[in-house]
Amino acid sequence: MRSTYEQMPTFQEDACELALFQSKWPSGFRCPRCDGSAYYRIASRSKRLYECRVCHHQTSLTAGTIMEGTRTPLVKWFSALYLMQKGISATLLAEVIQVTYKTAWLINHKLRHAIQVWDESRPLKGELRLYGDFYARPVMSGVFDPPDQRDQPAVVGASIDPESGEVAQVKIKRVPHTEFRRRLYGVESYGTFLWRHVTDVKSEVQSIEIVRQSDSEGVTELGLIRRGAIGWLARTFGGIGPKHLQAYLDEYCFRLNARSDAFGMLLSLCGMTRTVSLRGLVNKRRTVRSVRWTGLANFKQQRNVFQVS
């Protein structure tokens, strides 16, 4: 991790402003009030303030983005964007970009919020593989521990490229304890995952394969993805509690899905995602909300669709 931030490029404020402008308005400036394309740049008040030539509405460069309301210079935001390509703790980020721990924590979680908004708009489809297991298994767990402090059941799901047979898109999602106490290899254990994270258009889901962590040839690809996520969380953060676990899992999957363009994609997401407040992040619900997936009953009737390897 240290080699990553030691090689971090030096960002310039003007270049960051231009990059954010292109991320927010990829087709050119658009007034949020009248949709006009002509503007004045008001440099006397702020380098990031723009006035529409038509209706004279003024808007800032960060308004309507994940950075709205920030007092942190853009160069520090861009440094955080760069470092999230590998994943970084708030403690280390605060040290690297010279901000308080609270500011570093808020920046990291706002970036994760942008990732989660994007992830929710991209359900899995096509040929699917599912693998379910627990995020952690404590050596000792008292009988009086609250349920959400024990093992965290999660499902690794992936869309498979029909031509290469490789993973095209992956998600790791928490599911309710009550549901995951059932058979791990029965479709009933994956109901919430299917409800929330798989497209409900039946024609876009060709097959669902339920796999185990390993087979006769060794650890399966989904098993390796799960191990990679757990290893990264352990090395970088020393493990994560249940409240924000999903945000960290989504960050890990984002890097897998973005591949070599994680920085560019994350910058684009920052420009198109509205910000979230500290209160909204702190008060985030721990529970998993279920949304009905209309194709589940049809798939349960088609026994040849489900394969167990």
Side-chain angles (χ1 to χ4, degrees):
M1 184 67 230
R2 288 189 177 275
S3 61
T4 300
Y5 71 75
E6 288 171 357
Q7 300 173 5
M8 184 171 59
T10 301
F11 294 102
Q12 301 296 328
E13 193 75 11
D14 289 344
C16 291
E17 288 186 17
L18 177 60
L20 183 58
F21 182 98
Q22 294 172 341
S23 173
K24 179 179 180 179
W25 295 302
S27 300
F29 174 83
R30 287 294 174 183
C31 175
R33 175 180 291 176
C34 72
D35 201 37
S37 60
Y39 67 93
Y40 300 100
R41 180 171 173 174
I42 306 177
S44 59
R45 292 183 55 187
S46 171
K47 290 183 179 180
R48 307 175 198 168
L49 200 61
Y50 299 81
E51 180 175 320
C52 175
R53 286 177 179 264
V54 179
C55 69
H56 303 291
H57 175 74
Q58 294 181 352
T59 184
S60 71
L61 183 59
T62 56
T65 74
I66 203 67
M67 304 172 188
E68 182 172 356
T70 186
R71 296 181 180 177
T72 304
L74 287 182
V75 291
K76 297 190 176 186
W77 273 94
F78 273 64
S79 296
L81 286 170
Y82 179 85
L83 293 169
M84 189 162 275
Q85 293 179 98
K86 294 292 184 181
I88 185 171
S89 68
T91 301
L92 186 54
L93 179 63
E95 175 187 338
V96 173
I97 67 174
Q98 295 296 293
V99 296
T100 65
Y101 172 82
K102 180 180 178 181
T103 297
W105 186 94
L106 187 59
I107 289 174
N108 266 351
H109 275 276
K110 284 193 173 188
L111 296 180
R112 294 184 185 111
H113 174 73
I115 289 172
Q116 289 187 292
V117 171
W118 174 78
D119 177 81
E120 290 175 0
S121 69
R122 301 177 71 248
L124 299 177
K125 59 184 178 181
E127 297 180 11
L128 309 181
R129 289 179 191 161
L130 304 177
Y131 164 62
D133 207 332
F134 292 87
Y135 160 65
R137 292 182 179 276
V139 177
M140 297 183 64
S141 181
V143 294
F144 298 110
D145 290 346
D148 62 355
Q149 297 292 335
R150 302 175 189 170
D151 300 354
Q152 300 301 311
V155 171
V156 184
S159 293
I160 306 302
D161 187 312
E163 296 183 0
S164 66
E166 299 179 350
V167 171
Q169 180 186 353
V170 64
K171 294 177 183 281
I172 305 177
K173 299 294 183 180
R174 291 181 58 195
V175 294
H177 287 78
T178 53
E179 178 179 283
F180 219 65
R181 289 178 184 143
R182 305 174 186 174
R183 287 190 306 124
L184 291 180
Y185 306 115
V187 67
E188 294 84 0
S189 297
Y190 300 89
T192 296
F193 184 90
L194 295 173
W195 289 337
R196 293 205 64 188
H197 309 295
V198 175
T199 179
D200 60 358
V201 181
K202 293 184 292 182
S203 61
E204 295 187 8
V205 179
Q206 284 87 46
S207 65
I208 299 179
E209 180 184 357
I210 300 172
V211 301
R212 295 183 174 87
Q213 179 176 357
S214 59
D215 55 25
S216 59
E217 299 180 357
V219 181
T220 60
E221 188 169 13
L222 297 193
L224 287 174
I225 290 174
R226 170 186 169 275
R227 288 188 180 186
I230 293 176
W232 169 68
L233 290 172
R235 291 190 305 271
T236 308
F237 309 100
I240 295 295
K243 183 173 184 179
H244 295 290
L245 174 60
Q246 188 59 66
Y248 289 84
L249 294 175
D250 290 338
E251 176 193 342
Y252 180 80
C253 291
F254 169 78
R255 285 193 291 272
L256 295 182
N257 294 326
R259 295 175 173 83
S260 61
D261 193 30
F263 179 85
M265 288 187 63
L266 190 52
L267 174 57
S268 178
L269 296 181
C270 288
M272 67 177 65
T273 308
R274 291 190 172 276
T275 194
V276 59
S277 67
L278 175 61
R279 177 178 296 181
L281 291 168
V282 171
N283 295 336
K284 184 176 291 186
R285 294 178 59 189
R286 298 187 183 189
T287 56
V288 179
R289 179 174 58 87
S290 296
V291 178
R292 183 71 175 170
W293 183 69
T294 57
L296 179 59
N298 294 322
F299 272 104
K300 289 173 69 175
Q301 294 173 2
Q302 301 173 12
R303 295 179 181 274
N304 62 326
V305 171
F306 296 102
Q307 306 165 4
V308 179
S309 62

